Amino acid sequence: MSTGQTLLLGAIAGLTIFLGLPIGRMQNVTPATKAFLAAVATGILVFLFWDVVSEAVGPVEDALTAGRDGRFLWLSFLLLAGFTVGLMSLVYYDLWMKRRRRRAFLGPGAASTAEFEQEQEHEHHFTGMSPARWLAVFIATGIGLHNFSEGLAIGQSAAADQVSLAIVLIIGFGLHNATEGLGICAPLTGDREQPSWGFLALLGLIGGGPTFIGTVVGQAWVNEPVMILFFALAAGSILYVVMELLNVGRALASKTVVTWGILLGLFLGFATDFILVASGA
């Protein structure tokens, strides 16, 4: 497989994320439907969390069982540092944005619940985006980190002349990305201001573009610690988004609706993964 063919297929695997993005322009969506879609997105992300943690922990356990203590400590540090940065950077960024919005709308002394709720209503005037849009950007960021790691796997398989494995990975990751587009845009359904096609395209680039970038890097450079670091970053950021989506679901609908949505999302995630396993990847 030539370099051009590898990069083209890596780009296709990333672009499939755009298939699910039009759902973000759905209007007149009931709270229950919005909660169900958010729950489906949560289920997909729970699967991705399990997937990336498994990939990140595997090499660390291998180093431990092989008795390579120095490498085990180094990989463990990368795993812990990446996960901590991926999770806590989003937590502190969200807190910083909330303080900034509160000062802009209410002044430094305002702190009542009613005032804060009013400030949330006017958030768009100060940040240019609603809370639903910020959540969509966070989801796309977490998925983008995950997809960069997937791109590394595609590129490294092609670089090692494992053509059949590279093709299977491209097909499987492409299917994964198609469901991830749904996950990114679930919070946007029914938002008061319909997202533009340009904003949806930006989300697609954030979430799917790293697949292509990872393919480029992976074909030219193979490095296990880098893989672990990006898987750990992805796991931390995905966990943050899962917590946020669960809050959305609980606020909008019953536990039954949310749970069925999560189950469907998990099914979609594992179904696409089983395609990879059945193909011998």
Side-chain angles (χ1 to χ4, degrees), residues 196-280:
S196 66
W197 288 110
F199 181 70
L200 294 180
L202 176 62
L203 292 177
L205 289 175
I206 294 172
T211 305
F212 174 75
I213 298 172
T215 302
V216 174
V217 175
Q219 190 181 46
W221 184 48
V222 178
N223 188 281
E224 186 176 67
V226 172
M227 286 279 289
I228 292 174
L229 180 61
F230 273 92
F231 275 128
L233 285 168
S237 57
I238 288 172
L239 179 59
Y240 171 81
V241 173
V242 166
M243 294 188 298
E244 290 294 295
L245 283 173
L246 286 174
N247 289 333
V248 171
R250 283 195 295 264
L252 293 176
S254 67
K255 184 181 296 185
T256 303
V257 171
V258 172
T259 305
W260 276 113
I262 292 174
L263 278 174
L264 177 57
L266 281 169
F267 171 80
L268 291 173
F270 277 103
T272 54
D273 186 63
F274 290 156
I275 292 174
L276 290 172
V277 175
S279 301

Side-chain angles (χ1 to χ4, degrees), residues 58-214:
V60 180
E61 291 181 337
D62 291 341
L64 177 62
T65 56
R68 303 172 64 186
D69 295 340
R71 185 167 181 80
F72 165 72
L73 291 174
W74 168 237
L75 296 181
S76 296
F77 169 76
L78 290 177
L79 179 62
L80 177 60
F83 187 82
T84 302
V85 171
L87 175 62
M88 299 310 298
S89 62
L90 292 180
V91 171
Y92 283 111
Y93 178 76
D94 188 43
L95 289 174
W96 176 76
M97 287 298 297
K98 286 178 179 178
R99 293 192 193 100
R100 178 171 175 263
R101 293 192 300 265
R102 179 176 294 188
R103 284 196 301 269
F105 184 70
L106 302 173
S112 72
T113 301
E115 287 174 323
F116 183 70
E117 290 175 352
Q118 185 182 17
E119 171 256 338
Q120 290 283 357
E121 290 292 321
H122 292 269
E123 177 178 10
H124 176 77
H125 296 292
F126 301 106
T127 66
M129 292 199 297
S130 66
R133 293 194 181 197
W134 276 115
L135 183 53
V137 170
F138 285 154
I139 294 173
T141 301
I143 286 177
L145 288 168
H146 169 261
N147 286 342
F148 180 80
S149 301
E150 290 186 344
L152 287 175
I154 293 172
Q156 290 177 9
S157 298
D161 290 329
Q162 297 175 319
V163 178
S164 60
L165 175 58
I167 292 175
V168 168
L169 288 174
I170 289 164
I171 294 172
F173 293 156
L175 291 171
H176 268 316
N177 286 353
T179 61
E180 289 165 1
L182 167 66
I184 290 173
C185 284
L188 297 176
T189 56
D191 202 18
R192 272 179 284 182
E193 184 178 346
Q194 188 181 59
S196 66
W197 288 110
F199 181 70
L200 294 180
L202 176 62
L203 292 177
L205 289 175
I206 294 172
T211 305
F212 174 75
I213 298 172

